[in-house]
Structures are given as C-alpha cells and as structure tokens.
Amino acid sequence: MSVKITGIGHAVPDGVLTNFDLEKMMDTSDEWITERTGIKERRIAPKGSATSEYAARASRKAMDMAGVGPEEIDAIIVATLTPDMKFPSTACFLQEKLGAQRAYAFDLNAACSGFIYSLTVAKGLIESGAARKVLVSGAELLSTIINFDDRSTAVLFGDGAGAVVLEDVPDEEGIICTALHSDGSLWELLNCPGGGSVYPISKEMIDEKLHYIRMNGNETFKNAVTRLVEVTREVLEKSGRTIDDIDLFIPHQANKRIIDAVAKRLGLSDGKAYLNLHKYGNTSAASIPIAMSEAWEEGALKKGDLLLISAFGAGLTWGSALIRM
Ligand code: UT7
C-alpha cells in the first residue's frame, strides 16, 4: 500500500499588508523586517472571515486536481490554531461547505507543525482501513490573534490556507516516511494563553492581552534550527536516502534566516529550498501546503519528485516527511 498526494491547492486573502504599511502602524522598518525575517508582505483576511472559507477554496482546488468529488471523501482533517469557533471543529464547517456528507471531520492542533502531523494521521487512517480518501487542510487566520501593539510578533504572521487530497495508489511511491516530536516543557516560548480553561475570557484577560500570540523570538529561533536539522536527518536516515536525493525541500516558512541555517547544516544544494515567505509571512499550519501548491503551479515541484518537508512550532512540536510526488 502507498498513500499518495493526488491533489494540492491553496487560497489566500486578497488583502496585502506590506512592510511599508506596517511602518505607518508601529515603530518598525521594511529594512529591519526584510533583514531579520525575509518577509516583505503578508495577506490579511477581512474582519469576520472564517478560516474554513479559505480551507474550502484550497480544498476545492486540491479535489479538482485529484479528480475526487466531495461524496468520495472519507475523512477531513484541518490543521489550525485559529479555528472558526472554539467548537464545533473547523473541519466540520469545511465538510459542510464542501458537501462532503460521508466524511468524518476533526481538527488537529500542532501549531506550525500541524500539516505534517495531519499528513501522518491521514496516512495512518488510510493504512488502517479507516479511510480511503482523506482531505487535509492547513488553514490559518493568524491576523485574528496578532497583537499590533507588539512589533516583535506583529510583523511575522499572515493568513491563508493550503490543502491536499491523499489516497491509496498501489504500485506507486507516496508518503515514504514521517517523523514527529513534541516537547511540552518549552510551551512558554510560543503561545496564545487567553480564552482557554486557564485564562477564560474576561475583561482582565483581555486587558493583559493574553488573547494574542506571545513569543520569545531568540529562543524559538535557536530551537527551530536545531530541531529542524535533527528531524530532517531522522527522516532521511529512516528512509535510507541522503540530502542529495532530494529534488525540493519545503520547510515551514517562518524566517529566511532559519531556512538558510537549516539548509546549510543539512548540506542542501543551492536553490533546492523553496521560499515564498516574502509574500505571505508565517502562516503556521498553512505555510507548507501553500508553498507546495505554489511550487506545483510554478513547475518547481513535479510528479515523480522527491519532496522533503519539515516544520517547527509552538508546543514545542516539530516534524518532517519525505514524499514521492
Ligand atoms: O512559526 C513558529 C516558529 N517561529 C519562529 O521560528 C520565529 C523565530 N524567531 C525569529 O524569527 C526571530 O527571533 C525574530 C524575527 C522574531 C526576531 O529577530 P531577532 O534577530 O531574534 O531580533 P531580536 O528579538 O533579538 O531583537 C533585536 C532588536 C531589539 O532591539 P534592541 O533590544 O537590540 O534595541 C528589538 O527590540 O530588534 C528590535 N525589534 C524590532 N525592530 C524593528 C524587534 N522587533 C522589531 C521590529 N522592527 N518589528
């Protein structure tokens, strides 16, 4: 049995927020943001938008490419930390929007690693016989939890969604290997504490701005580089491949300096690390499927290519997957 990605799609809001726009809103500069992160602009959805709207647009494109109708989908997983509502799941809203009436649907929260976690779960569902065709979407409206009074985080994040269709394609290689890790002891490095059971919604919680993203950037950066290198090597070793076998590396799009450092330590050839964070910033669980979809549209990722994806995020969580397209 082989679990293959047969469709990919993405959708982003039309609204563009550039570094120059941010210069007018806070004490920052295009030069600082570009040098420290590589980000030039990000997409921001109109107020009142639903994460599932973008997930649905991305999913329809992925389903069109796969030639799979809504009635054929057995399971829907949405990787998100910005759900439409606390409950029901964004995956249920997506199911309704797609008319995928046969599917069971649930969300998965592994922050920026959520897409790779979801791919691993989807692969397991198909291999166990619990589903034949699975739709996975990484979808985020991070603008809903950005603190625009905190320049150290406000410049980093954006909105968007990507999606893939997974199915059993016998006699063809598909998702070859994945590796996942977590370290909950480092949760304080990156979180959004308000609105859960520890800090339920209250005037005090909002006054303390606990409903926004908080991050220790330096420590997160250091952990990201170390863990991304480790887990990427783990997946290569487990599958008996080397970095030279890889056609394209799509890392989580958080910071160009992180990607450059990881690519250098892995010994990746120039031009094999895909970057689109200059256009979208960090879109958390959506970043890898958006990048996969764009790379496919541009011809940078083709059928038969050996694709390596790696992500790192809050939790802490990190993971990697080796995929034959
Ligand atoms: O997706 C999940 C994983 N997330 C990440 O991987 C993010 C990891 N972290 C990072 O990408 C980087 O740590 C940041 C981009 C967030 C920050 O870059 P940095 O090089 O670590 O900067 P810093 O936090 O050490 O700040 C350096 C200086 C400080 O000023 P002083 O204290 O040196 O005077 C900051 O106040 O830059 C200042 N600064 C800014 N200046 C202009 C912080 N944010 C800004 C800003 N504009 N937006």
Side-chain angles (χ1 to χ4, degrees):
M1 173 177 277
S2 164
V3 177
K4 201 163 179 78
I5 293 175
T6 54
I8 322 176
H10 75 282
V12 294
D14 294 332
V16 177
L17 184 69
T18 67
N19 292 349
F20 298 106
D21 296 327
L22 287 168
E23 281 182 356
K24 293 176 203 137
M25 296 163 64
M26 61 189 75
D27 181 16
T28 191
S29 64
D30 171 57
E31 191 189 355
W32 190 96
I33 303 169
T34 306
E35 268 177 22
R36 300 290 179 123
T37 71
I39 300 165
K40 297 296 284 183
E41 57 188 44
R42 65 289 292 142
R43 299 301 180 97
I44 304 289
K47 274 210 168 66
S49 302
T51 301
S52 61
E53 289 168 32
Y54 293 92
R57 282 171 47 196
S59 297
R60 285 190 195 104
K61 290 181 189 165
M63 288 159 63
D64 280 352
M65 177 176 156
V68 166
E71 69 291 341
E72 292 177 74
I73 302 284
D74 299 303
I76 298 174
I77 308 175
V78 176
T80 188
L81 50 78
T82 47
D84 286 16
M85 297 184 187
K86 214 174 200 33
F87 68 86
S89 68
T90 302
C92 281
F93 288 117
L94 176 58
Q95 177 207 23
E96 194 261 328
K97 287 187 168 68
L98 297 174
Q101 287 164 0
R102 284 184 46 251
Y104 54 89
F106 60 97
D107 288 358
L108 188 155
N109 182 348
C112 302
S113 313
F115 180 72
I116 298 179
Y117 270 64
S118 300
L119 277 192
T120 308
V121 172
K123 181 174 187 280
L125 291 177
I126 294 172
E127 285 171 347
S128 71
R132 284 175 43 217
K133 295 184 200 296
V134 182
L135 175 70
V136 169
S137 177
E140 304 281 11
L141 296 188
L142 293 172
S143 60
T144 58
I145 55 168
I146 291 174
N147 178 2
F148 282 100
D149 292 330
D150 174 12
R151 68 176 181 173
S152 70
T153 54
V155 302
L156 304 175
F157 301 101
D159 299 339
V164 297
V165 173
L166 295 143
E167 25 183 342
D168 175 23
V169 179
D171 311 322
E172 273 195 56
E173 247 185 342
I175 299 177
I176 296 164
C177 178
T178 74
L180 306 176
H181 295 279
S182 306
D183 183 353
S185 72
L186 295 175
W187 72 270
E188 276 180 297
L189 293 185
L190 179 53
N191 54 63
C192 174
S197 64
V198 179
Y199 301 104
I201 296 165
S202 67
K203 187 176 177 306
E204 292 71 34
M205 182 279 278
I206 290 168
D207 288 345
E208 287 176 40
K209 299 188 189 297
L210 298 183
H211 55 306
Y212 290 133
I213 298 173
R214 291 147 36 119
M215 178 168 72
N216 176 336
N218 294 97
E219 283 306 312
T220 305
F221 189 107
K222 284 185 228 157
N223 273 283
V225 174
T226 312
R227 299 309 191 188
L228 282 168
V229 171
E230 275 173 15
V231 76
T232 307
R233 284 193 181 135
E234 180 185 340
V235 146
L236 287 170
E237 275 164 29
K238 261 166 79 173
S239 59
R241 307 305 214 280
T242 73
I243 196 71
D244 296 326
D245 296 324
I246 301 308
D247 293 303
L248 192 67
F249 177 48
I250 301 189
H252 170 47
Q253 308 282 307
N255 186 318
K256 183 176 185 299
R257 289 189 296 136
I258 294 178
I259 296 172
D260 289 345
V262 169
K264 191 170 170 209
R265 288 190 199 188
L266 290 172
L268 188 76
S269 314
D270 285 353
K272 282 195 178 176
Y274 188 81
L275 280 174
N276 66 357
L277 58 76
H278 53 287
K279 294 192 286 184
Y280 303 124
N282 180 346
T283 57
S284 189
S287 90
I288 290 177
I290 293 174
M292 283 171 64
S293 174
E294 283 209 335
W296 187 269
E297 284 177 2
E298 291 161 7
L301 180 64
K302 302 173 295 298
K303 190 165 169 54
D305 278 356
L306 196 56
L307 169 70
L308 185 60
I309 58 176
S310 301
F312 176 88
L316 299 177
T317 57
W318 60 103
S320 184
L322 186 69
I323 302 165
R324 179 73 68 189
M325 293 301 300

